[in-house]
Amino acid sequence: MSRKFFLPTLLAASLALAGCGSLAPTYQRPDAPVAAQWPVPQATADTQAADIGWHEFFTDPRLQQLIEQALASNRDLRVAVLNVQRAQAQYGVQQADRLPTVNAGLGQTATRAPGGTITRQYTGTLGISAYELDLFGRVKSLGDAALAQYLGTEDARRSTQISLVAAVAGGWLTLAADQERLHLAEQTLLSRQDGLRLTQRLQGAGVASTLDLRQAEIAAETAQSDLAALTRQVAQDRHALELLVGQPLQAGQWPVSGTDAPVTQTTELSAGLPSDVLLARPDVQQAERSLQAANANIGAARAAFFPRISLTASAGSASPALDDLFRAGTGMWSFVPQLTLPLFDAGRNRANLKIAEVDRDIAVAQYEKSIQSAFREVADALAERATLDQQIASQQRLVAQTQDALRLAEARFRQGLDDRLATLDAQRSLYGAQQGLIAARLAQQVNRVTLYKALGGGQGDRPGDRQSAS
């Protein structure tokens, strides 16, 4: 065979022999170890979380702007995007092993004989080196594993984006609630300072006792302490939100309303069926990609028990003179097939197969755990949603009742019918009821965000969102 047709024919034959199947087990998705229905009965709702982009779900313009900034600047999301690019490159490296590597070479060999004569030999070659014929699918299995890992990093990026959107919204709501608590503490402090001044006047007139005065002073100092603690908490909330966004925020970017103003859609989201919702979540899909990669690695481990054939071949020209290198009659070729048959490896291949099988079993358990965790997250959010309206309504009634109790207690104190203790108790009850109402409203708003995230919302929005993250 002439060198003109030797290498192309060899390449074609090698690729044909390498196009064999894999020894990996047939992949089967494990059954979901959760109930077929959610434990909390659901009202009929047509809106699916996965069909609502975050720009549509979050209605506050300032919060929308912060989420956009976070998707562009958050470092965790940036790392997740870079991990996708890295895994894509690794997959490209693994895929390259399925094709022969063709190299061109030009070389010279100079030899000096004892008499001082120097001879030279010039060579120009085109060849392949140690190309493995994938007869038993070892390289294919490794490629399938690399592909699953690459797709898993993309699932991880989507999961990170969902978590980031929810975290920014949660941080925003927490800051709004703490700012509302801070404002309440300021008003409470002013009220208790007014009460302290009134008690001082009454004590000077002989109407109030020294005990009444001390109790009024304690109430004022308690309010002052709460004000300092909440001032510190608001500053920490702002720092946490800036970390999520990935850059300092300006004065006009903080929330200006309290927990009574919703920042999301208030229509109920459809929970759907667990089998549909959970399998669509990117964190569950990532766990399944890991399982698929582990399954493919079993094929590579099994192939190690069989012979491995590698080919090294080259074709070209050789001549003692560089000018004559590619003239007629200077052709040369070489063909070096190599067969490696595993005979004794002290149990290494068997141990590697056992490792691959155990890794697959671990991946199955992790996949099942991811489904169970996702099921619990959705079920908890649904259970919380079912009771929050009642809790808020009850808390609003409690605030109204304590406000009325405080009004009556203050009137009786001014008339000398009761001591200061009844008024202070009423003030504390009102303060606690107002804080409870803020907490309940915050819980309701955070629950909307949590359920949106748990049901797979926030994976994408406008076409530019993914590019902005990279």
Side-chain angles (χ1 to χ4, degrees), residues 214-286:
R214 293 293 177 264
Q215 288 172 337
E217 290 172 343
I218 292 172
E221 290 298 336
T222 301
Q224 184 69 60
S225 177
D226 287 349
L227 180 62
L230 286 167
T231 301
R232 179 175 66 251
Q233 186 61 54
V234 166
Q236 292 173 344
D237 291 343
R238 292 186 174 188
H239 300 159
L241 192 56
E242 287 182 329
L243 178 62
L244 287 172
V245 174
Q247 60 187 28
L249 302 182
Q250 305 301 318
Q253 295 182 282
W254 306 115
V256 294
S257 57
T259 54
D260 56 336
V263 299
T264 67
Q265 289 186 2
T266 57
T267 55
E268 287 196 358
L269 298 173
S270 172
L273 295 175
S275 57
D276 297 331
V277 172
L278 300 182
L279 295 181
R281 284 179 42 140
D283 55 338
V284 174
Q285 292 177 350
Q286 181 187 3

Side-chain angles (χ1 to χ4, degrees), residues 393-413:
S394 177
Q395 200 69 33
Q396 287 172 334
R397 291 192 296 269
L398 180 59
V399 169
Q401 292 163 358
T402 53
Q403 284 175 336
D404 190 51
L406 176 59
R407 180 183 58 80
L408 294 173
E410 287 178 339
R412 292 177 64 86
F413 175 67

Side-chain angles (χ1 to χ4, degrees), residues 109-142:
T109 302
T111 305
R112 183 179 184 280
T117 304
I118 298 176
T119 59
R120 302 181 186 275
Q121 182 75 9
Y122 297 93
T123 57
T125 59
L126 188 68
I128 59 177
S129 176
Y131 169 62
E132 179 179 347
L133 296 180
D134 197 24
L135 300 179
F136 301 100
R138 187 187 75 88
V139 178
K140 180 180 184 301
S141 294
L142 293 176

Side-chain angles (χ1 to χ4, degrees), residues 38 52 69 79 153 157 166 185 247 249 278 282 289 377 386:
W38 303 114
I52 306 174
Q69 290 180 237
V79 169
T153 57
R157 184 206 64 79
Q247 60 187 28
L249 302 182
L278 300 182
R289 301 292 189 193
E377 184 179 354

Side-chain angles (χ1 to χ4, degrees), residues 152-172:
T153 57
E154 172 59 24
D155 293 327
R157 184 206 64 79
R158 293 192 294 126
S159 181
T160 301
Q161 175 173 321
I162 291 176
S163 298
L164 175 61
V165 170
V168 171
W172 170 275

Side-chain angles (χ1 to χ4, degrees), residues 322-383:
L322 184 60
D323 294 342
D324 298 332
L325 182 58
F326 296 105
R327 291 186 179 180
T330 61
M332 57 167 287
W333 61 267
S334 67
F335 178 52
V336 186
Q338 184 176 6
L339 173 67
T340 302
L341 180 64
L343 296 178
F344 175 74
D345 62 0
R348 180 179 291 104
N349 287 338
R350 190 169 299 278
N352 285 332
L353 177 58
K354 181 64 177 178
I355 291 172
E357 291 173 341
V358 171
D359 285 343
R360 188 268 317 275
D361 294 340
I362 292 173
V364 169
Q366 291 174 333
Y367 171 73
E368 293 175 340
K369 178 63 180 298
S370 70
I371 288 206
Q372 291 174 335
S373 299
F375 183 89
R376 178 189 174 183
E377 184 179 354
V378 176
D380 286 349
L382 291 173

